[in-house]
C-alpha cells in the first residue's frame, strides 16, 4: 500500500506543468512552464445525463488511450436536467442552497465524479454550462445566469482540469445579456481557467465576442453540411459551396483583433448523415473527419475537436436516437476516426511548436474543394496535407537548409515512409494510391525525425494513479 501511495503522489498530470494559458504570439495554448498544449478534444455532450459511474470510468479511460486530452460535455441539457440516477440538477428558480444533501448522490456529485475521473486520466473537461437552445427559449435569464455562474465558479474554481465554454450551438446575438452575465460572473470568481464560446454551425465566436474581456480563445463550428448543401438558410453566413472548407474559418477569425487562438470545436461527426436531417443521405466517414482536422490545424488552429454521432449522445438500445444513430456508443469507440486523431497530435508535437504558421505559398498550382492542398511550416520544417493523393508541386525554399529530408505520413496509422534527400528548391511528388496523407520536409541538418523511423513517436503513457484500476 505504501508503494502504491508513493506512485500516486509522483505520477505526472498535464497541469503539473502549471495552468493553461495563451502563448505569447496569441495563437496557441501552453502551460505556465512553457510546454505546449495541443488541444485534442472529444465530444461527449450527454455524459452527465446518460452514463453511470462505471461507464464514465470506462469511457474516459478509452479517451485517454486514444490520445484525447479534452472532453466536452453539456453540463445542463435541460432545466432541470436529470442524470442516470434520477437526480435533478436543481430547481427551476436556480436555487442551489440545498443542492448537496447528506446521504444522496446528487446530480452535481456525479458531475464532480466526471471531473475527478477525467483528472485521473489527464483529461480536461470542457464545461458547456447550458445548451444555447435553453437560453433561447427563456429557461435562463440574466439574473438566473448570475446565480448559476456563481454556483459553478465556486464549486469548480479549484479543480485543475476545467475549461469554461459559454454558449452552446447558438449565435452570440441571441440573448447576449445572458451570455455576458454568465461569463463575467464565472470569470469574476475564477480567473485560473480559460474560457471560450461555442457558436452555431458555420459561425465563429469572433463575430460577436472578439473584444470580450472574458473570452480567452475562439471557437468555430464548421458544421455537418457538404458542399452545396445550403438547405434554405435565409441568412447564410458563408459563401455557397464552401460548406466543407473548415480551413477558411481560421482566416476569417484572425481577421478580428486582437488575435486569439482558434479551433474547430464541432466539425462533421463520424457516422452522422451529411446535413443531419435526412437518414437517406451518405454518412461522414473516417476520411472526412481526418480531412476536417488536418485542414483546420494546418490552417493555424491550436487544436481540434472530434465528434461521433453515437458517442456524443451516448446512444444505446432503449434511448430514442437523435440524427439516426443506430449503433451503441461503446461499439463506436472502435470507429476508425475516433482512433486516428491521435496521430495529428503526435505530428504537431514532433516539431518546434510555437513558431508554426500556415503558409499556402509553399503550394504551387493548388486546387479547390477536395483538391486543395494545405500547408504549414516552421523555420526548418514544412507539412502539406493532401486529401485526394493528387500530384503536388511544393516550394521547399520556404524553410532553411540546402538539402531537405522528405517523408510521407499515413494519417490512418501514423506510419512514416522515408522518400529520401531532396537537394532542389522545388519538389514534385505524387503519392502512391489515392488515400490522404501528409508530406513532411525537414532541413537535413535537423533531427526531428530519423531516416529509419517508421512511425511517429507515441506519447509516454501516464502511470496509473487510480487504486481501482
Amino acid at each position: 500500500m505504501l508503494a502504491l501511495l508513493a506512485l500516486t503522489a509522483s505520477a505526472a498530470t498535464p497541469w503539473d506543468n502549471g495552468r493553461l494559458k495563451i502563448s505569447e504570439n496569441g495563437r496557441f495554448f501552453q502551460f505556465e512552464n512553457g510546454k505546449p498544449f495541443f488541444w485534442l478534444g472529444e465530444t461527449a455532450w450527454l455524459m452527465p445525463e446518460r452514463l453511470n459511474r462505471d461507464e464514465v470510468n470506462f469511457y474516459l479511460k478509452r479517451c485517454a488511450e486514444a490520445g484525447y486530452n479534452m472532453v466536452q460535455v453539456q453540463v445542463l441539457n435541460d432545466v432541470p436536467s436529470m442524470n442516470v440516477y434520477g437526480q435533478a440538477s436543481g430547481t427551476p428558480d436556480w436555487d442551489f442552497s440545498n443542492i448537496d444533501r447528506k446521504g444522496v448522490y446528487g446530480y452535481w456529485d456525479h458531475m464532480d465524479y466526471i471531473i475527478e475521473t477525467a483528472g485521473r486520466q489527464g483529461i480536461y473537461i470542457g464545461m458547456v454550462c447550458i445548451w444555447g437552445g435553453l437560453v433561447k427559449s427563456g429557461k435562463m435569464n440574466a439574473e438566473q445566469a448570475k446565480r448559476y455562474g456563481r454556483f459553478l465558479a465556486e464549486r469548480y474554481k479549484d479543480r485543475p482540469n476545467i475549461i469554461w465554454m459559454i454558449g452552446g450551438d447558438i449565435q452570440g446575438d441571441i440573448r447576449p445579456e445572458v451570455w455576458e452575465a454568465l461569463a463575467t460572473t464565472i470569470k469574476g470568481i475564477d480567473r485560473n481557467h480559460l474560457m471560450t464560446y461555442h457558436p452555431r454551425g458555420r459561425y465563429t465566436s469572433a463575430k460577436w465576442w472578439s473584444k470580450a474581456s472574458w473570452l480567452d480563445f475562439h471557437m468555430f463550428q464548421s458544421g455537418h453540411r457538404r458542399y452545396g448543401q445550403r438547405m434554405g438558410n435565409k441568412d447564410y453566413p458563408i459563401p455557397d459551396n464552401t460548406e466543407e472548407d473548415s480551413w477558411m474559418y481560421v482566416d476569417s477569425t484572425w481577421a478580428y483583433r486582437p488575435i486569439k487562438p482558434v479551433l474547430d470545436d464541432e466539425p462533421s461527426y463520424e457516422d452522422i448523415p451529411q446535413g443531419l436531417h435526412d437518414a437517406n443521405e451518405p454518412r461522414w466517414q473516417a476520411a472526412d473527419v481526418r480531412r476536417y482536422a488536418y485542414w483546420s490545424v494546418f490552417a493555424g488552429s491550436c487544436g481540434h475537436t472530434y465528434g461521433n454521432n453515437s458517442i456524443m449522445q451516448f446512444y444505446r438500445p432503449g434511448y430514442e436516437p437523435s440524427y439516426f444513430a443506430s449503433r451503441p456508443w461503446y461499439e463506436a469507440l472502435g470507429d476508425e476516426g475516433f482512433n486516428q486523431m491521435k496521430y495529428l497530435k503526435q505530428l504537431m508535437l514532433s516539431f518546434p511548436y510555437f513558431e508554426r504558421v500556415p503558409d499556402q505559398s509553399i503550394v504551387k498550382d493548388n486546387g479547390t474543394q477536395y483538391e486543395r492542398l494545405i500547408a504549414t511550416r516552421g523555420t526548418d520544417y514544412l507539412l502539406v496535407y493532401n486529401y485526394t493523393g493528387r500530384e503536388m508541386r511544393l516550394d521547399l525554399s520556404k524553410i532553411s537548409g540546402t538539402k531537405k529530408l522528405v517523408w510521407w505520413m499515413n494519417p490512418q496509422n501514423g506510419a512514416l515512409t522515408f522518400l529520401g534527400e531532396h537537394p532542389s528548391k522545388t519538389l514534385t511528388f505524387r503519392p502512391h494510391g489515392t488515400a490522404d496523407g501528409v508530406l513532411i520536409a525537414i532541413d537535413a541538418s535537423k533531427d526531428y525525425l530519423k531516416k529509419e523511423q517508421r512511425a511517429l513517436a507515441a506519447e509516454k503513457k501516464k502511470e496509473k494513479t487510480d487504486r481501482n484500476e
Side-chain angles (χ1 to χ4, degrees):
M1 177 65 73
L2 290 177
L4 183 57
L5 289 175
L7 176 63
T8 301
S10 64
T13 61
W15 33 92
D16 286 338
N17 297 296
R19 66 181 181 88
L20 272 184
K21 57 182 290 188
I22 306 304
S23 64
E24 290 185 6
N25 65 10
R27 299 191 179 205
F28 301 103
F29 298 124
Q30 67 174 70
F31 294 101
E32 284 181 304
N33 67 0
K35 183 178 179 179
F37 176 78
F38 181 84
W39 169 304
L40 189 63
E42 151 62 357
T43 304
W45 293 136
L46 297 186
M47 178 165 53
E49 291 84 11
R50 289 194 169 177
L51 296 194
N52 63 32
R53 288 167 63 99
D54 288 341
E55 291 166 334
V56 164
N57 190 64
F58 171 74
Y59 165 70
L60 290 171
K61 188 171 186 295
R62 282 289 293 113
C63 285
E65 292 168 350
Y68 296 99
N69 52 24
M70 197 288 299
V71 170
Q72 59 185 15
V73 303
Q74 289 181 32
V75 178
L76 294 183
N77 188 48
D78 203 352
V79 180
S81 291
M82 301 287 292
N83 66 19
V84 71
Y85 295 104
Q87 296 298 315
S89 59
T91 62
D93 59 358
W94 302 89
D95 179 7
F96 297 100
S97 57
N98 297 309
I99 200 66
D100 294 313
R101 293 168 292 163
K102 186 175 181 179
V104 176
Y105 182 72
Y107 187 92
W108 297 101
D109 295 311
H110 195 47
M111 191 71 234
D112 297 347
Y113 179 80
I114 288 171
I115 294 168
E116 291 163 2
T117 304
R120 290 198 295 272
Q121 297 294 343
I123 291 173
Y124 288 86
I125 291 294
M127 304 274 280
V128 181
C129 305
I130 183 171
W131 203 239
L134 302 175
V135 171
K136 183 178 181 179
S137 64
K139 291 191 174 183
M140 184 172 76
N141 61 35
E143 286 304 313
Q144 292 166 337
K146 292 177 183 178
R147 291 203 291 272
Y148 181 42
R150 191 174 304 113
F151 166 76
L152 288 176
E154 292 291 356
R155 192 175 189 100
Y156 296 119
K157 61 184 172 63
D158 295 325
R159 305 279 179 154
N161 59 323
I162 292 296
I163 296 170
W164 297 111
M165 297 170 68
I166 307 302
D169 194 36
I170 192 169
Q171 298 96 310
D173 56 359
I174 295 177
R175 308 293 298 277
E177 74 283 359
V178 177
W179 304 121
E180 282 277 8
L182 181 62
T184 55
T185 299
I186 293 174
K187 272 288 189 176
I189 297 169
D190 176 14
R191 296 190 174 275
N192 292 321
H193 297 111
L194 297 178
M195 180 177 284
T196 188
Y197 186 93
H198 178 271
R200 184 77 169 169
R202 292 155 297 284
Y203 282 101
T204 167
S205 59
K207 179 176 175 61
W208 311 283
W209 307 113
S210 63
K211 304 295 186 184
S213 61
W214 49 264
L215 191 136
D216 298 300
F217 64 99
H218 288 299
M219 285 182 163
F220 61 88
Q221 181 184 162
S222 58
H224 307 276
R225 297 182 188 176
R226 66 171 177 267
Y227 288 125
Q229 206 170 35
R230 183 183 175 103
M231 301 180 70
N233 283 52
K234 180 181 178 182
D235 299 311
Y236 210 47
I238 61 173
D240 289 345
N241 298 309
T242 63
E243 288 81 358
E244 298 182 50
D245 289 339
S246 61
W247 51 267
M248 72 177 181
Y249 292 94
V250 183
D251 295 339
S252 63
T253 299
W254 280 348
Y256 293 87
R257 292 294 185 271
I259 284 199
K260 295 181 180 181
V262 61
L263 61 89
D264 191 350
D265 194 59
E266 192 170 341
S268 293
Y269 292 159
E270 191 168 14
D271 195 37
I272 205 167
Q274 296 176 9
L276 297 180
H277 304 297
D278 185 347
N280 297 314
E281 291 284 1
R283 298 196 176 216
W284 297 110
Q285 303 297 317
D288 300 302
V289 298
R290 291 197 304 272
R291 171 169 47 86
Y292 272 84
Y294 283 81
W295 271 0
S296 172
V297 170
F298 282 23
S301 287
C302 59
H304 187 73
T305 300
Y306 163 89
N308 183 291
N309 191 18
S310 291
I311 299 172
M312 65 94 176
Q313 60 185 289
F314 292 98
Y315 171 74
R316 70 180 110 193
Y319 282 120
E320 183 71 26
S322 297
Y323 307 113
F324 314 103
S326 59
R327 298 178 302 125
W329 65 270
Y330 39 84
E331 291 183 8
L333 292 173
D335 284 359
E336 291 180 359
F338 176 87
N339 292 286
Q340 292 169 350
M341 292 295 105
K342 61 188 174 188
Y343 303 118
L344 173 59
K345 183 173 71 168
Q346 291 171 9
L347 177 67
M348 304 322 292
L349 293 174
S350 296
F351 304 100
Y353 193 77
F354 299 108
E355 68 184 48
R356 181 175 68 85
V357 294
D359 189 351
Q360 285 305 101
S361 70
I362 291 168
V363 179
K364 299 177 179 292
D365 307 318
N366 210 343
T368 60
Q369 295 190 347
Y370 296 149
E371 293 295 310
R372 180 181 175 87
L373 306 176
I374 193 156
T376 188
R377 66 168 177 83
T379 303
D380 46 28
Y381 70 94
L382 64 81
L383 313 170
V384 182
Y385 177 73
N386 186 333
Y387 177 61
T388 62
R390 55 164 288 200
E391 182 176 276
M392 50 209 308
R393 284 207 313 133
L394 308 175
D395 183 356
L396 302 188
S397 70
K398 298 295 180 178
I399 60 173
S400 64
T402 56
K403 295 180 180 179
K404 314 297 192 301
L405 302 180
V406 183
W407 287 261
W408 181 253
M409 189 201 94
N410 183 344
Q412 299 179 52
N413 55 18
L416 295 172
T417 301
F418 181 59
L419 302 178
E421 187 176 284
H422 195 76
S424 66
K425 293 182 178 180
T426 301
L427 170 66
T428 300
F429 175 70
R430 186 180 188 98
H432 298 294
T434 58
D436 60 328
V438 178
L439 190 288
I440 304 170
I442 302 174
D443 182 333
S445 67
K446 306 300 179 180
D447 62 352
Y448 305 132
L449 298 176
K450 307 296 184 184
K451 293 180 181 180
E452 67 275 10
Q453 193 170 334
R454 296 294 177 262
L456 295 170
E459 294 177 283
K460 292 181 180 180
K461 297 294 184 182
K462 182 174 72 73
E463 294 175 312
K464 291 182 179 179
T465 62
D466 188 348
R467 300 180 209 179
N468 296 321
E469 290 185 339

